Amino acid sequence: EAGVVQSPRYKIIEKKQPVAFWCNPISGHNTLYWYLQNLGQGPELLIRYENEEAVDDSQLPKDRFSAERLKGVDSTLKIQPAELGDSAVYLCASSLYRGTGELFFGEGSRLTVL
Amino acid sequence: SQELEQSPQSLIVQEGKNLTINCTSSKTLYGLYWYKQKYGEGLIFLMMLQKGGEEKSHEKITAKLDEKKQQSSLHITASQPSHAGIYLCGAGVINTDKLIFGTGTRLQVFP
């Protein structure tokens, strides 16, 4: 069974440029999460989806960040424009059902903003 | 808001030694989860603890939950280089489906 797939693995951009990350969760997992992980820190939730509905986006900086999961399967996280402080690893995870603490993570997308 | 504090922040041990990592919550724990992360990779679920006093083991890794102390410990027996990585605890936030994480403990095991 394929795990959570993320792309790109690495992205280097200049500040003020846009960037997008893609995530394909494990088949059958209705819950999808985007986490932000800064160096030396634990992951912080940005947004959580139940199917195509964003049920928790309270930590998503909506002035520059957006996310979508149109068909309730794969998801895209976008930053526009990127700032220096956005340099981090963006992790996608999925779970079989809501409320579980057993999440399956992708390998992450490492963003460097110059 | 609830916070999880892990100690120590980093640990360097010789192969074969035992070690313990602690996770302390600022609020009552409703489910405690341990994950491992290798550098540059995603998190891998290790185990889940839900009841006070519960203890689980996976190979040479044992985790315990002390609800009264709002604390969990992860113990590795006879550490191996394969145990190296970052160990993170996660906890469910009451009345939400949210999962928060501690800052992690970086473990290095040298031969």
Side-chain angles (χ1 to χ4, degrees), chain B residues 34 36 46-47 56-63 74-77 83 87:
Chain B
W34 282 100
K36 180 183 177 183
L46 293 176
M47 59 189 82
K56 284 189 177 178
S57 294
H58 174 69
E59 298 178 345
K60 293 185 178 180
I61 301 176
T62 301
L74 185 105
H75 184 77
I76 299 178
T77 303
H83 288 128
Y87 289 83

Side-chain angles (χ1 to χ4, degrees), chain A residues 97-114:
Chain A
Y97 56 92
R98 63 184 297 174
T100 177
E102 185 175 359
L103 276 57
F104 295 81
F105 283 82
E107 293 186 311
S109 293
R110 182 178 296 274
L111 173 66
T112 301
V113 182
L114 303 176

Side-chain angles (χ1 to χ4, degrees), chain A residues 57-77:
Chain A
D57 63 355
S58 57
Q59 302 300 313
L60 189 72
K62 298 180 183 61
D63 57 334
R64 297 184 300 107
F65 286 65
S66 64
E68 61 182 17
R69 193 184 184 198
L70 294 176
K71 297 182 180 179
V73 181
D74 58 338
S75 175
T76 301
L77 177 70

Side-chain angles (χ1 to χ4, degrees), chain A residues 9 35 37 40-43 45 48 56 58-59 91 98-103 105-107 110, chain B residues 33 35 37 39-45 48 86 88 96-104 106:
Chain A
R9 286 293 314 275
Y35 279 88
Q37 186 175 27
Q41 301 294 315
L45 181 68
R48 175 169 63 91
D56 184 356
S58 57
Q59 302 300 313
L91 293 165
R98 63 184 297 174
T100 177
E102 185 175 359
L103 276 57
F105 283 82
E107 293 186 311
R110 182 178 296 274
Chain B
Y33 309 87
Y35 283 80
Q37 183 177 31
Y39 180 75
E41 298 181 11
L43 283 67
I44 297 173
F45 174 81
M48 170 178 68
I86 301 170
L88 295 117
T96 75
D97 293 326
K98 186 174 293 188
L99 182 68
I100 60 171
F101 288 92
T103 53
R106 182 180 295 272

